[in-house]
Amino acid sequence: MIEPDFLHTTRTAYDSMAARYAELFANGLADFPLDRAMLSAFADLVRTDGGGPVADLGCGPGHVTSLLHSLGLDASGVDLSAEMIAIARTAHPDLRFEVGSMTALDLDDGRLAGVVARYSIIHTPPERLPQVCAEFHRVLKPGGHLLLSFQAHDDPAELAEPFDHKVALAYRWSPDRVSDLLTETGFTETARLRRAPLEDERQFPHAHLLLSKASTP
Ligand SMILES: C[S@@+](CC[C@H](N)C(=O)[O-])C[C@H]1O[C@@H](n2cnc3c(N)ncnc32)[C@H](O)[C@@H]1O
């Protein structure tokens, strides 16, 4: 199958700067208390519902996968970039990491109790987002939880606004429109956090959406 250009471009870009990206997160999410709070709430919900495998999609160097593991989850990571996966495997040899794409996951239907996608949809062209949401829905079991994080914008008339990202063309998203799309896909929003940018995060707000897949198929 021919790979879409955006996947090739994103992979190549992250392959070339994987080591530098990993250095940025050498402290994990120590500087992101609100992001940690949402990940902790996600982990609580998954555990309360009986646990099960959780995938960190677009895991980069694996710092979030490792945090999910420390929160008691059976967490593994998937990333487009083989360099990111090599770094993640070296840094966290006790955890599983695989190369793959959120657009077509090598996972059975209903396999997962939870999915985290932290800033990994940001290079997905808006017309491809429904395909990614459908993959999240397919791989989650009924009642499974999704935590989706991204740079946000406040114009609900636009699903996405492109911005000039350091790595590759990226999009910030309307939380309302993304939530609507996920609702159409079969999710229900549980909670959301909109936080102000930190000092070195430019001036964009950040959104964290927590949703669950309907319990009855
Ligand atoms: C901004 S980084 C975020 C990394 C990590 N989740 C974090 O929170 O720091 C985006 C990551 O998503 C990965 N990615 C982008 N598109 C992807 C796709 N379609 N499937 C899997 N990974 C993807 C990139 O290779 C990169 O490692």
Side-chain angles (χ1 to χ4, degrees), residues 5-6 18 27 40 70-71 79 90 100 125-126 132 150 167 172 174 180 189-190 210-211:
D5 282 351
F6 78 96
N27 269 351
S40 177
S70 74
L71 292 169
D79 201 281
T90 302
V132 170
F150 48 87
V167 181
R172 54 196 186 115
S174 155
D180 287 349
E189 185 175 322
T190 312
L210 189 51
L211 305 103

Side-chain angles (χ1 to χ4, degrees), residues 147-167:
L147 178 61
L148 190 61
S149 306
F150 48 87
Q151 289 92 344
H153 72 79
D154 292 322
D155 178 5
E158 298 291 337
L159 171 61
E161 280 183 7
F163 71 96
D164 197 16
H165 185 271
K166 272 180 269 189
V167 181

Side-chain angles (χ1 to χ4, degrees), residues 7 10 14 21 25 58-60 63-64 79-81 84 100-102 118-120 122:
L7 290 181
T10 305
Y14 278 99
Y21 191 93
F25 289 97
C59 63
H63 51 298
V64 174
D79 201 281
L80 203 52
S81 157
M84 285 289 200
S101 174
M102 303 183 293
R118 185 174 186 275
Y119 299 100
S120 44
I122 65 171

